[in-house]
Amino acid sequence: RNFYYITILRDPVSRYLSEWRHVQRGATWKASLHVCDGRSPTTEELPSCYTGDDWSGCSLKEFMDCPYNLANNRQVRMLSDLSLVGCYNLSVMPEEQRNKVLLDSAKENLKRMAFFGLTEFQRKTQYLFEKTFNMNFISPFTQYNSTRASSVEIDEQTQKRIEALNFLDMELYDYAKDLFLQRYQYMRQKEHQEARRKRQEQRKILKAKHAHNKDQSDNTSTTDYIGNVEHWR
């Protein structure tokens, strides 16, 4: 079998708020082992943000205040090769160098994936998916229901803080959006060129057919005339 890696990225602020609402309702990632280089992180490397069974009911401020919150820059972390930075051991290299290595790795892995889409561009995502894998969905991609993030109203200061907490995701998303739209425009141009080529071929076929029919008509007329001349004699 051939296996392809694909992913869907989302606006970092909306994604962060959605995860907060998910956690607020009692979701945890206790089943996630976060295995990297053959082992899970120690409690010193990855402390917990809460002491109880879950973090249900936490406020957005509490969610943002936890320095160990894996919601921060989650998209970059999940797309990058963590072994390049010593997994969850933050003492392996300086923070600035670590961030650069993670972001570069995430960009490279995203670019090499067979396909990626963006939640904010669902119809374009569907179009690119269908063209990439030569298949068609039976119904269009649409956002039928409002998301958890859409129901959260935040002020400008909170918006800025979420962006700061997810600054790597913000940069990755800008890169992804630019690459995504380039691929979309390329695929549309390719489709238009193919359609134009087919129209030109069809015109050539029709022109040749018309010329052939005209020759047949001329030959028939000449034959009929000669036949009449013979008859008149």
Side-chain angles (χ1 to χ4, degrees):
R1 292 182 178 182
N2 292 323
F3 294 91
Y4 301 96
Y5 286 98
I6 69 171
T7 190
I8 305 292
L9 295 184
R10 187 176 181 182
D11 170 76
V13 174
S14 296
R15 198 216 64 77
Y16 188 84
L17 290 172
S18 180
E19 182 168 347
W20 163 60
R21 292 299 298 271
H22 195 48
V23 167
Q24 193 182 48
R25 293 158 62 95
T28 67
W29 282 264
K30 290 181 179 180
S32 300
L33 301 178
H34 304 294
V35 174
C36 177
D37 280 351
R39 70 174 184 87
S40 297
T42 65
T43 53
E44 289 76 20
E45 290 174 334
L46 189 60
S48 177
C49 286
Y50 55 92
T51 56
D53 293 333
D54 57 41
W55 208 8
S56 59
C58 73
S59 66
L60 179 56
K61 184 179 185 305
E62 291 172 330
F63 193 73
M64 293 188 295
D65 285 346
C66 178
Y68 320 112
N69 194 345
L70 290 182
N72 300 342
N73 296 308
R74 184 178 290 280
Q75 295 181 107
V76 164
R77 189 175 59 258
M78 295 189 73
L79 280 171
S80 62
D81 182 359
L82 291 180
S83 63
L84 297 175
V85 296
C87 299
Y88 293 91
N89 185 353
L90 302 182
S91 63
V92 170
M93 63 180 66
E95 182 181 4
E96 185 175 350
Q97 181 184 357
R98 176 186 174 88
N99 290 336
K100 184 180 186 308
V101 172
L102 287 175
L103 182 60
D104 289 345
S105 176
K107 287 179 178 179
E108 183 64 24
N109 287 334
L110 182 71
K111 183 172 63 176
R112 292 171 57 186
M113 281 188 174
F115 168 82
F116 75 88
L118 302 177
T119 302
E120 288 71 28
F121 297 92
Q122 294 196 19
R123 296 302 293 272
K124 288 182 173 65
T125 292
Q126 176 180 0
Y127 173 83
L128 277 179
F129 190 98
E130 292 175 338
K131 294 300 179 182
T132 301
F133 296 108
N134 192 28
M135 60 168 290
N136 294 308
F137 289 92
I138 60 175
S139 59
F141 287 10
T142 53
Q143 189 77 40
Y144 288 110
N145 301 316
S146 60
T147 63
R148 293 188 180 97
S150 65
S151 62
V152 180
E153 294 184 4
I154 58 174
D155 55 32
E156 185 177 354
Q157 183 178 359
T158 303
Q159 168 97 11
K160 294 294 183 184
R161 188 174 179 200
I162 294 175
E163 291 175 356
L165 288 170
N166 294 274
F167 71 101
L168 294 177
D169 274 8
M170 295 293 292
E171 188 167 341
L172 175 67
Y173 188 78
D174 286 342
Y175 170 83
K177 184 163 62 173
D178 181 63
L179 181 58
F180 176 84
L181 293 176
Q182 284 185 43
R183 290 181 176 181
Y184 176 78
Q185 290 299 330
Y186 170 80
M187 199 63 74
R188 292 289 292 178
Q189 290 175 2
K190 185 178 178 181
E191 183 181 42
H192 291 157
Q193 290 172 355
E194 181 64 18
R196 184 164 57 249
R197 185 187 64 80
K198 287 182 178 180
R199 288 195 300 269
Q200 290 173 347
E201 288 182 353
Q202 289 175 351
R203 282 197 292 267
K204 287 180 181 179
I205 293 172
L206 290 174
K207 186 176 180 180
K209 186 176 181 180
H210 178 73
H212 177 73
N213 291 339
K214 186 175 184 300
D215 290 342
Q216 289 290 101
S217 177
D218 291 344
N219 290 337
T220 300
S221 298
T222 303
T223 301
D224 290 345
Y225 176 76
I226 294 175
N228 286 331
V229 170
E230 291 295 330
H231 176 70
W232 294 335
R233 288 179 181 178

